[in-house]
Amino acid sequence: MQAPIRRGDEVPMLRFRPAATSDRGLVRDNNEDSGYASAGLLLVADGVGGNAAGEVASASVAHVVASFVLGSRERQDPVALLSDAVEFAFAHLGDGVRRDPARAGMATTLTALLADGDGFTLAHVGDSRGYLLRGPDLCQLTRDDTLVQELVDEGRITRQDIPTHPYRSVVVRSVTAGTTPDVTIARVALQPGDRVLLCSDGLSDFVPEHVIGDLLDVGTPTTAAQRLVDAALAAGGRDNVTCIVGDVDEGNPHVRHNGHLVGAHRNPVNLIDPAAALAQSLARAATVG
């Protein structure tokens, strides 16, 4: 059995044991979701429905964030790292529109969870979700950036009204090519034994939260991710669905291989400029290293 990886202060480093599954669903012609899962990064991005080139937006933003993390050095500020990645992703989408004006309006959600060895940092914008399963208790780590959530916060509707509300799919914040994204980035407290789920709204819109908790609490991360996707398909599969599951465990999160890509992220055709994203990530690492 491998000994735990510990730093000088004897606090164990923590990482993810990850799994990722994505499906275009039973109605959509293509998959505009993108996902990435590794020991150090879990990520889901969902091209905003109704906008042009959603698969390009989600895949390119996922690629940028993953490239920044893969190009980073240990002990870099994780909040600054994710902030810089999102800032470049915004500029990157703008470059994509300049290359192809038919992409104007493309946008994507982004929910990413980074393990840096000292803890975990969450970046979130849009209506994809992050959940934490600790023992039998499931809690939502993210707040939906949607019109209906704003109405709930204002007391104008209840959470029970959301599934039937005519504007339930309206996203009020996302990563776009036209407006600087307003992304929530915060440290989160995770511990060994926790299980986390990042998912697109193709799961959370159609599968009740108590069912999500029950399915998440079964088997390996791979088993849980597949069961969750299967549940979304059984509920009608009316949207793309992506589930990224990670178990928090002792180990080194700074592993540079074995990342798992799913959805639109798997197709290089959907990436605006892979070389530019990688070059920018390496340039950043050299500057802050």
Side-chain angles (χ1 to χ4, degrees), residues 36-41 62-74 76 81 114 253-261 265 278 281-282 285:
Y36 180 82
S38 70
L41 178 68
H63 178 70
V64 166
V65 176
S67 294
F68 269 61
V69 171
L70 289 170
S72 66
R73 300 181 181 182
E74 293 187 24
Q76 290 186 6
L81 173 61
L114 171 67
H254 303 290
V255 178
R256 306 305 185 190
H257 61 278
N258 293 336
H260 187 36
L261 286 66
H265 195 184
L278 181 59
S281 70
L282 295 176

Side-chain angles (χ1 to χ4, degrees), residues 16 35 42 68:
F16 299 114
L42 307 179
F68 269 61

Side-chain angles (χ1 to χ4, degrees), residues 5 11-12 15 28 37 43 46 73 81 89 108 117-118 131 161-162 169 176 186 207 221 238 266 288:
I5 298 175
V11 176
R15 63 174 183 180
R28 300 293 179 89
L43 179 153
D46 178 1
R73 300 181 181 182
L81 173 61
T108 182
D118 293 314
Y131 288 100
D161 296 325
I162 292 177
S169 298
T176 75
V207 179
R238 297 190 295 277
R266 293 186 62 187
V288 302

Side-chain angles (χ1 to χ4, degrees), residues 128-149:
S128 297
R129 287 185 178 179
Y131 288 100
L132 165 63
L133 181 69
R134 177 172 291 168
D137 300 321
L138 182 73
C139 68
Q140 188 173 332
L141 295 172
T142 55
R143 175 190 178 277
D144 295 346
D145 291 319
T146 57
L147 176 60
V148 290
Q149 184 60 54

Side-chain angles (χ1 to χ4, degrees), residues 97-123:
V97 172
R98 285 187 290 274
R99 294 179 180 212
D100 183 357
R103 296 170 175 165
M106 67 177 172
T108 182
T109 71
L110 172 66
T111 303
L113 192 55
L114 171 67
D116 59 70
D118 293 314
F120 300 86
T121 305
L122 177 72

Side-chain angles (χ1 to χ4, degrees), residues 4 77 141 143 152 179 191 198 200 203 206 253-254 273 279:
D77 180 351
L141 295 172
R143 175 190 178 277
V152 170
T179 305
Q191 61 191 35
L198 306 186
S200 61
L203 176 72
F206 305 109
H254 303 290
D273 189 342

Side-chain angles (χ1 to χ4, degrees), residues 45-48 51 57-58 61 65 85-91 93 105-111 124-126 171 173-183:
D46 178 1
V48 176
N51 288 356
S58 72
V61 169
V65 176
V86 171
E87 182 178 349
F88 181 75
F90 162 65
L93 292 188
M106 67 177 172
T108 182
T109 71
L110 172 66
T111 303
H124 172 73
V125 60
V171 175
R173 292 166 62 194
S174 61
V175 182
T176 75
T179 305
T180 303
D182 182 10
V183 179

